[in-house]
């Protein structure tokens, strides 16, 4: 190197060094704790560094003038600040604020179990619901494995925390469903009408639920229907008890879709092979179908229409308790139609609108007769419900929100008993306002107020509800809830007196919960006070009272066993009520003190088979024995309830069809189940209330074309 060139380099090096700027400092969180691994850099350049374990950072940049310095790390809000780069060293300490996101935010959870496909931290997903051993794809049967729900097999519906099935309401897209279950016969529970795969979200609230919903003293089952499918498909099902067809068409512009489904069930072959408790005169037969249409009306708008129709019949003869040597005949025909149209859209400036209308009608024709004495009775019942609902919501900041809305229902109830007729109609209106306020990402409160009016009783109620949750760390949170809940008396009492009052329940709930992707631990304490329950003796009035209190535990583990998944639930329930013809507050005949379930599922990838087993247990329930004195009312107990269910699904392909073979067995061990006893009026004869068959098994093959819906089809039966 020549002396001249060397001299030039010595002259230029200081100039280059002067052109670079050193930036350094320390990055901490809101508690002034060092944050390692933060990516800090000058935007639009490759100049930057990552913070060290003590939060310190340092790098140089050749950029000049005003530049944007950026610092980012997952879980914290991005940091940006303009800095002037002129060769002078910059020392900048940075504090990053927590980023509020769904994973880190506290959520309202007291009394509520989410079962949605859309949320990562849900407790049950749709597939969990339909693959629960022995549940036979019945949403309610699967939910009975969760804490709070009772194992009641002689009446349809969900019995929750000392409440009757009437005290649990079902909603689809916010619209109340008047008859969510098939009509049942005396002492035999019927299953739910709707497939779990119609819904992308299922929320089961065992108490303290939102002011958006009403007319349920104990619980709410809130279902949200699917949006558009990803592609067109069709399905065929062949079962030992019937068959099904389905077709779903997605438009070419992928903005609309329609679905047509039909199914038929007949238990004649099954009941011909297996002995039944009572002699069928009409074998159970169900035919139904549905049509749904969905259209994306804008980037934020969705229109949905759903229509469902069903016909069923069933009849049997049984030994007469009242007339020795005679037989009692029961025959039922049912017709049911349910439809709803809903529309949601963003209105701008943080406002959203949800609107809906629905109509349903349910008709039961019951024929009863004491055969030899020809004591025939014919009962007809028809319930029509029309409703409209409109809800507006407004975002308040990043996550807080305000909801205000109202609904109107027009109900017509027609009942005939031989030549007698008892009818009424009711105009029912409700309004609510509710706000979720995030004081911090770890502390949220909800306050709501609901009011209702019924023209039949000419009564108004006002129901305040409050809940709050505080997040202890990344996984744990505690929640508290309080609320007033009102419900009209059941239709059979309103037909006799329309000056009755609302029944009322006051809820107090405390919850501790830890959730992660792999585990869920939840325990809940509750107290529920009943007011103004219906009494039928000595006169029909609202003088009934009661309470329910207890503790519940839920544990789910999806990680410890490879390809395995299990959950355990336990409920302790202390409840008494004085209602109907009870002489005082006693434990009702539908409530067990201890209830527990164990659910296990294992997938064997080598044979493409999923096995699920469910064991459920409940201590004996009280039943009425007329031979005991009044002081010993409801003193007797049924035997302990035990049942083991099994579901096996083999996934394969047949030709071009994705296919699943299904085997499902309820009460696999053949345990004798006993739900209570019926007595003759003189108390001399009695018979046990038991299932129609000790066990039930089901075999089916389901084929889907176009989309691999094998898992979905498994339990659409």
């Amino acid at each position: 190197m020549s002396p001249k060139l060397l001299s030039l380099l010595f002259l230029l090096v200081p100039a280059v060094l002067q052109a670079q700027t050193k930036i350094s400092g320390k990055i901490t969180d809101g508690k002034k704790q060092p944050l390692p691994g933060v990516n800090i850099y000058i935007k639009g350049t490759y100049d930057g560094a990552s913070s060290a374990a003590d939060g310190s950072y340092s790098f140089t940049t050749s950029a000049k003038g005003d530049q944007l310095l950026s610092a980012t790390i997952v879980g914290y809000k991005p940091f940006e600040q303009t800095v002037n780069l002129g060769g002078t060293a910059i020392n900048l300490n940075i504090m990053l604020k927590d980023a509020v996101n769904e994973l880190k935010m506290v959520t309202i959870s007291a009394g509520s179990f989410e079962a949605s496909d859309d949320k990562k931290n849900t407790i049950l997903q749709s597939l969990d619901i339909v693959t629960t051993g022995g549940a036979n794809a019945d949403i309610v049967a699967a939910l009975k494995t969760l804490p709070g729900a009772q194992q009641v097999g002689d009446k349809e519906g969900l019995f929750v925390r000392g409440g009757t099935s009437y005290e649990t309401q079902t909603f689809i897209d916010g619209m109340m469903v008047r008859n969510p279950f098939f009509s049942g016969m005396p002492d035999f529970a019927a299953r739910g009408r709707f497939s779990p795969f119609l819904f992308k979200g299922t929320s089961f609230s065992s108490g303290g639920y939102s002011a958006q919903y009403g007319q349920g003293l104990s619980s709410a089952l809130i279902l949200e229907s699917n949006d558009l499918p990803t592609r067109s498909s069709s399905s065929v099902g062949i079962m030992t008890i019937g068959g099904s067809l389905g077709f779903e068409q997605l438009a070419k512009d992928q903005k609309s879709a329609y679905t047509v489904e039909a199914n038929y069930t007949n238990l004649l072959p099954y009941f011909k092979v297996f002995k039944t408790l009572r002699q069928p005169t009409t074998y159970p037969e169900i035919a139904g179908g549905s049509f749904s249409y969905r259209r994306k009306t804008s980037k934020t708008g969705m229109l949905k229409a759903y229509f469902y129709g069903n016909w069923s019949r069933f009849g049997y003869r049984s030994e007469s308790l009242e007339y020795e040597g005679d037989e009692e005949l029961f025959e039922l025909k049912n017709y049911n139609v349910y439809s709803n149209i809903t529309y949601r859209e963003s209105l701008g400036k943080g406002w959203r609108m949800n609107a809906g209308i629905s109509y349903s009608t349910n008709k039961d024709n019951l024929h009863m007769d004491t055969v030899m004495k020809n004591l025939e009775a014919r009962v007809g019942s028809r319930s029509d419900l029309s409703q409209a609902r409109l809800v507006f919501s407004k975002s308040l900041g990043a996550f807080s929100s305000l909801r205000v809305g109202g609904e109107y229902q027009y109900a017509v109830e027609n009942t005939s008993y031989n030549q007698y007729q008892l009818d009424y109609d009711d105009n029912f209106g409700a309004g609510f306002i509710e706000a979720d306020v995030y004081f911090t990402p770890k502390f949220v409160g909800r306050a709501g107020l609901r009011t209702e009016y019924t023209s039949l009783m000419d009564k108004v109620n006002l129901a305040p509800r409050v809940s709050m949750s505080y997040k202890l760390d990344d996984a744990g949170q505690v929640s508290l809830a309080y609320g007033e809940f009102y419900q009209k008396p059941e239709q059979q009492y309103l037909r006799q007196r329309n000056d009755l009052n609302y029944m009322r329940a006051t809820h107090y709930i405390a919850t501790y919960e830890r959730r992660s992707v792999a585990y869920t631990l939840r325990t809940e304490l509750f107290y529920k006070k009943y007011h103004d329950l219906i009494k039928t003796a000595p006169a029909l009035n609202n003088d009934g009272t009661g309470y329910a209190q207890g503790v519940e535990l839920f544990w789910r583990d999806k990680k410890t066993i490879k390809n395995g998944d299990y959950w355990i639930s336990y409920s302790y329930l202390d409840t008494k009520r004085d209602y109907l013809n009870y002489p005082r507050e006693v434990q009702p005949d539908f409530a067990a003190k201890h209830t527990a379930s164990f659910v296990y599922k294992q997938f064997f990838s080598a044979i493409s088979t999923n096995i699920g087993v469910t064991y459920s247990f409940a201590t004996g329930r009280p039943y009425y024995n007329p031979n005991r004195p009044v002081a010993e009312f409801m003193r007797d107990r049924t035997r302990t309830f035990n049942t083991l269910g099994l579901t096996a699904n083999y996934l394969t392909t047949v030709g071009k069809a994705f296919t699943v073979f299904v085997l499902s067995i309820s009460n696999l061990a053949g345990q004798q189940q006993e739900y209570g006893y019926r007595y003759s009026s003189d108390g001399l004869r009695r018979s046990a209330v038991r299932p129609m068959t000790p066990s039930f098994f089901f075999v089916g093959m389901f084929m889907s074309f176009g989309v691999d819906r094998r898992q979905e089809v498994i339990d659409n039966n």
Side-chain angles (χ1 to χ4, degrees):
M1 184 177 290
S2 69
K4 289 183 178 179
L5 182 58
L6 190 60
S7 299
L8 181 61
L9 285 175
F10 274 109
L11 290 172
L12 292 176
V13 166
V16 171
L17 290 176
Q18 284 180 355
Q20 290 187 325
T21 303
K22 182 181 179 181
I23 304 175
S24 61
K26 189 173 183 178
I27 304 176
T28 59
D29 62 12
K31 297 180 179 177
K32 299 184 179 180
Q33 296 299 309
L35 278 177
V38 178
N39 186 25
I40 182 165
Y41 58 99
I42 299 296
K43 267 199 164 180
T45 75
Y46 293 104
D47 300 333
S50 293
S51 60
D54 61 354
S56 63
Y57 71 94
S58 176
F59 68 95
T60 58
T61 176
S62 57
K64 297 178 180 178
D66 288 342
Q67 301 289 337
L68 203 58
L69 178 72
S70 179
T72 61
I73 188 172
V74 174
Y76 292 85
K77 290 183 177 179
F79 171 87
E80 289 186 344
Q81 181 173 316
T82 300
V83 292
N84 185 271
L85 305 177
T88 304
I90 297 175
N91 186 274
L92 179 64
N93 294 325
I94 299 171
M95 185 182 72
L96 296 184
K97 297 180 179 177
D98 281 344
V100 181
N101 56 48
E102 288 192 7
L103 293 179
K104 299 191 71 172
M105 282 176 56
V106 64
T107 57
I108 298 288
S109 64
S112 177
F113 281 87
E114 297 286 347
S116 163
D117 279 334
D118 293 335
K119 297 186 179 181
K120 295 180 180 178
N121 281 342
T122 55
I123 290 180
L124 295 185
Q125 295 184 339
S126 295
L127 201 58
D128 295 324
I129 292 174
V130 298
T131 56
T132 298
N136 293 321
D138 185 6
I139 295 175
V140 168
L143 293 179
K144 284 181 180 178
T145 66
L146 296 179
Q150 291 281 304
Q151 295 289 341
V152 176
D154 53 327
K155 305 177 185 69
E156 55 269 15
L158 268 174
F159 292 72
V160 180
R161 291 182 174 173
T164 67
S165 61
Y166 178 69
E167 297 174 21
T168 297
Q169 290 288 2
T170 300
F171 303 88
I172 295 179
D173 293 333
M175 314 299 292
M176 182 185 292
V177 183
R178 177 70 177 78
N179 300 93
F181 300 93
F182 291 104
S183 294
M185 298 288 281
D187 300 337
F188 298 117
R191 60 176 290 148
R193 296 182 185 275
F194 304 105
S195 162
F197 276 111
L198 287 171
F199 309 106
K200 65 177 181 181
T202 301
S203 176
F204 166 52
S205 174
S206 50
Y209 58 87
S210 164
Q212 294 186 70
Y213 307 100
Q215 290 300 297
L217 281 186
S218 292
S219 175
L221 180 59
I222 301 162
L223 307 170
E224 187 179 358
S225 64
N226 290 323
D227 294 331
L228 293 174
T230 55
R231 59 182 296 184
S232 301
S233 64
S234 58
S235 62
V236 176
I238 302 172
M239 300 166 275
T240 51
I241 57 173
S244 64
L245 293 170
F247 179 72
E248 188 166 56
Q249 180 68 46
L250 177 66
K252 289 183 179 179
D253 62 4
Q254 298 192 338
K255 292 184 177 179
S256 65
Y258 69 86
T259 305
V260 180
E261 293 182 337
N263 59 77
Y264 175 74
T265 302
N266 192 326
L267 291 179
L268 186 150
Y270 190 90
F271 282 179
K272 283 289 188 183
V273 174
F274 297 96
K275 185 179 179 181
T276 57
L277 180 66
R278 297 173 188 177
Q279 179 57 46
T281 55
T282 302
Y283 290 91
E285 189 177 10
I286 303 170
S290 65
F291 172 81
S292 64
Y293 177 76
R294 289 142 284 169
R295 181 163 186 80
K296 194 171 178 60
T297 55
S298 69
K299 289 184 179 179
T300 55
M302 176 67 75
L303 174 70
K304 297 180 182 179
Y306 178 68
F307 305 93
Y308 167 90
N310 166 266
W311 166 87
S312 63
R313 64 179 182 177
F314 180 31
Y316 63 79
R317 285 190 181 194
S318 61
E319 181 182 350
S320 175
L321 281 175
E322 199 61 35
Y323 303 100
E324 191 172 8
D326 208 337
E327 288 184 319
E328 303 288 349
L329 172 70
F330 293 88
E331 291 184 324
L332 170 72
K333 286 183 181 177
N334 170 256
Y335 309 86
N336 181 271
V337 171
Y338 174 80
S339 61
N340 73 33
I341 299 175
T342 60
Y343 176 64
R344 67 171 189 262
E345 180 58 283
S346 174
L347 304 177
K349 297 183 178 179
W351 283 95
R352 289 191 61 82
M353 178 189 72
N354 285 272
I357 57 173
S358 79
Y359 170 74
S360 64
T361 181
N362 186 82
K363 187 176 181 181
D364 290 324
N365 290 329
L366 185 62
H367 178 209
M368 300 176 292
D369 194 5
T370 304
V371 178
M372 294 173 63
K373 296 190 176 299
N374 197 24
L375 299 175
E376 186 179 54
R378 292 187 180 274
V379 178
S381 173
R382 174 170 174 166
S383 300
D384 289 19
L385 179 66
S386 305
Q387 57 184 322
R389 176 182 167 91
L390 183 62
V391 179
F392 295 97
S393 59
K394 174 77 168 69
S395 298
L396 303 174
F399 294 98
S400 299
S401 61
L402 172 71
R403 293 175 291 275
V404 59
E407 60 187 75
Y408 166 74
Q409 299 176 357
Y410 177 62
V412 179
E413 300 285 342
N414 297 318
T415 301
S416 63
Y417 181 85
N418 292 336
Q419 71 273 26
Y420 304 103
Q421 188 79 27
L422 288 172
D423 304 330
Y424 74 82
D425 59 83
D426 184 31
N427 291 279
F428 173 87
F432 71 88
I433 183 168
E434 184 177 71
D436 290 353
V437 178
Y438 278 82
F439 302 103
T440 72
K442 292 186 174 182
F443 182 33
V444 61
R446 172 182 291 172
L449 187 64
R450 182 180 177 88
T451 183
E452 298 171 331
Y453 170 76
T454 165
S455 65
L456 181 68
M457 301 190 301
D458 194 21
K459 299 284 194 311
V460 177
N461 67 54
L462 199 62
R465 298 172 194 176
V466 179
S467 55
M468 59 185 67
S469 296
Y470 181 76
K471 194 145 190 168
L472 302 171
D473 51 39
D474 286 345
Q477 71 173 52
V478 292
S479 303
L480 298 171
Y482 154 80
E484 298 287 346
F485 298 82
Y486 290 87
Q487 189 168 13
K488 292 184 287 186
E490 293 172 86
Q491 289 80 5
Q492 61 264 37
Y493 308 121
L494 289 175
R495 291 186 188 108
Q496 299 175 51
R497 282 188 60 180
N498 57 23
D499 59 344
L500 294 170
N501 206 343
Y502 292 100
M503 302 182 293
R504 180 165 67 95
T506 306
H507 295 199
Y508 302 91
I509 302 171
T511 306
Y512 172 74
E513 183 177 73
R514 292 192 70 80
R515 288 194 193 188
S516 69
V517 175
Y519 306 102
T520 300
L521 170 66
R522 178 188 175 98
T523 182
E524 198 156 84
L525 294 168
F526 69 92
Y527 177 77
K528 180 166 54 177
K529 179 66 177 175
Y530 284 105
H531 318 264
D532 305 322
L533 295 178
I534 290 297
K535 288 282 295 178
T536 56
L540 182 61
N541 56 50
N542 274 106
D543 291 345
T545 59
Y547 73 89
Q549 59 188 1
V551 59
E552 297 164 356
L553 179 67
F554 178 83
W555 165 253
R556 182 171 187 178
D557 177 359
K558 295 188 284 186
K559 183 178 181 181
T560 303
I561 303 173
K562 185 179 180 182
N563 294 330
D565 176 13
Y566 71 91
W567 69 79
I568 300 169
S569 68
Y570 167 74
S571 303
Y572 169 74
L573 173 66
D574 172 20
T575 182
K576 290 183 179 179
R577 58 171 55 196
D578 176 11
Y579 85 134
L580 301 183
N581 62 347
Y582 287 17
R584 63 183 184 284
E585 284 192 357
V586 297
Q587 184 179 340
D589 60 358
F590 51 80
K593 243 184 199 338
H594 303 275
T595 305
S597 289
F598 173 72
V599 178
Y600 185 79
K601 301 175 184 182
Q602 181 73 46
F603 183 71
F604 300 91
S605 55
I607 55 175
S608 299
T609 300
N610 186 79
I611 303 290
V613 294
T614 300
Y615 170 70
S616 294
F617 161 87
T619 51
R621 289 159 32 191
Y623 66 86
Y624 172 60
N625 181 349
N627 298 305
R628 287 189 179 275
V630 173
E632 297 178 0
F633 183 76
M634 291 287 188
R635 179 67 61 86
D636 295 278
R637 295 290 185 272
T638 64
R639 67 176 61 196
T640 300
F641 175 84
N642 293 277
T643 185
L644 179 66
L646 169 71
T647 298
N649 310 301
Y650 171 59
L651 313 179
T652 184
T653 57
V654 176
K656 295 182 179 180
F658 303 107
T659 304
V660 57
F661 292 91
V662 180
L663 168 66
S664 180
I665 306 174
S666 65
N667 195 19
L668 181 64
Q671 293 280 338
Q672 191 171 57
Q673 295 172 354
E674 183 179 277
Y675 302 123
Y677 283 88
R678 304 291 180 215
Y679 283 82
S680 60
S681 57
D682 59 10
L684 298 177
R685 293 177 297 282
R686 74 172 192 173
S687 66
V689 179
R690 295 195 175 103
M692 195 68 169
T693 58
S695 304
F696 186 81
F697 81 90
F698 167 89
V699 177
M701 179 182 74
F702 300 90
M703 308 172 74
S704 56
F705 305 86
V707 175
D708 186 357
R709 299 179 63 188
R710 286 174 289 188
Q711 285 287 347
E712 296 182 15
V713 174
I714 286 169
D715 293 285
N716 272 333
N717 55 76

